Amino acid sequence: EAQVTQNPRYLITVTGKKLTVTCSQNMNHEYMSWYRQDPGLGLRQIYYSMNVEVTDKGDVPEGYKVSRKEKRNFPLILESPSPNQTSLYFCASSEVGGSSYEQYFGPGTRLTVT
Amino acid sequence: AQRVTQPEKLLSVFKGAPVELKCNYSYSGSPELFWYVQYSRQRLQLLLRHISRESIKGFTADLNKGETSFHLKKPFAQEEDSAMYYCALSGNSGNTPLVFGKGTRLSVIA
């Protein structure tokens, strides 16, 4: 089944403790992206990647890192999480050509930083 | 800069009534516009895109470049249409990120 998977689905952590949220897609998509969803603010893009080893900042990249060593994986790294990073995070992927193609979303990761 | 505005956070309509979810955009080039929908406890999914000019689940949206709008319409709302709807914009080159509006929650009342 073609899909985007994220792990973990739920995470509660403390301020400053490094964490990684994994994202994997099995559709051979070149474009991958991370968003955070907050009430009243909608979806905001954190980082995106046009292809392996190519990443770019989105609207809200501060406090986040990403890597794209393989086509299928696009992990989101929080080196030193803070409470303002408590949010619902979505990974998405799409075909070659980037954001103008339909994006397929993962199920979301709900992160709470205390 | 790209910008998408959805002026209504919440829209409540009665079943069978017409629905219009508003979306206005700002972009200097030729945009590609989308509507994404998120049903309760489901992942976000594409509803329709302007270049395909199709009707999905009875919804249509027409790109009006003069008014820079891409409103989503349905003549008769159904209860199962209750969801969060996001308008999104992409530039016509692959290097531009997808920008979402803040979303409108549609509630269809029986």
Side-chain angles (χ1 to χ4, degrees):
Chain A
E1 180 191 355
Q3 59 180 343
V4 178
T5 56
Q6 295 178 226
N7 281 293
R9 296 288 313 280
Y10 302 90
L11 180 60
I12 301 173
T13 190
V14 295
T15 298
K17 187 177 181 181
K18 180 180 178 180
L19 67 92
T20 298
V21 184
T22 64
C23 173
S24 183
Q25 51 92 6
N26 61 1
M27 296 169 279
N28 202 36
H29 285 167
E30 292 196 2
Y31 182 92
M32 296 186 75
S33 183
W34 276 103
Y35 299 88
R36 57 179 291 173
Q37 184 181 41
D38 301 288
L41 297 176
L43 281 159
R44 293 179 293 167
Q45 190 171 49
I46 303 170
Y47 270 94
Y48 65 100
S49 169
M50 298 295 293
N51 211 328
V52 175
E53 302 291 2
V54 179
T55 62
D56 276 299
K57 295 179 181 178
D59 293 325
V60 288
E62 294 78 21
Y64 304 94
K65 283 175 57 177
V66 292
S67 69
R68 187 88 184 276
K69 294 183 170 53
E70 306 166 278
K71 199 173 193 179
R72 61 182 295 127
N73 296 322
F74 190 45
L76 179 70
I77 303 155
L78 284 72
E79 294 272 3
S80 182
S82 61
N84 64 12
Q85 292 178 298
T86 292
S87 187
L88 180 57
Y89 291 87
F90 289 100
C91 180
S93 72
S94 66
E95 295 175 23
V96 61
S99 60
S100 57
Y101 286 74
E102 175 180 358
Q103 298 215 4
Y104 293 83
F105 283 81
T109 294
R110 187 167 292 281
L111 172 66
T112 302
V113 184
T114 61
Chain B
Q2 299 168 232
R3 182 177 297 169
V4 176
T5 303
Q6 293 179 251
E8 302 138 330
K9 285 188 178 179
L10 173 65
L11 182 64
S12 296
V13 301
F14 286 103
K15 179 181 173 182
V19 175
E20 182 178 64
L21 298 165
K22 291 185 168 52
C23 172
N24 289 91
Y25 68 90
S26 173
Y27 184 63
S28 57
S30 290
E32 296 203 29
L33 284 145
F34 308 81
W35 277 99
Y36 280 81
V37 61
Q38 189 176 26
Y39 300 103
S40 179
R41 294 193 175 85
Q42 294 187 27
R43 58 185 77 190
L44 204 68
Q45 58 189 284
L46 179 68
L47 180 62
L48 53 81
R49 52 191 301 184
H50 89 271
I51 62 170
S52 58
R53 301 185 65 82
E54 56 193 344
S55 172
I56 303 292
K57 298 185 179 182
F59 284 98
T60 59
D62 291 319
L63 176 60
N64 186 324
K65 291 188 177 181
E67 295 183 358
T68 59
S69 68
F70 188 57
H71 303 328
L72 183 68
K73 299 178 184 179
K74 184 170 182 177
F76 307 103
Q78 302 298 315
E79 288 180 76
E80 55 265 30
D81 296 329
S82 294
M84 193 75 178
Y85 291 81
Y86 291 96
C87 183
L89 176 152
S90 171
N92 57 1
S93 75
N95 289 324
T96 55
L98 189 64
V99 175
F100 284 84
K102 294 183 179 180
T104 298
R105 182 167 296 282
L106 174 64
S107 176
V108 180
I109 305 162

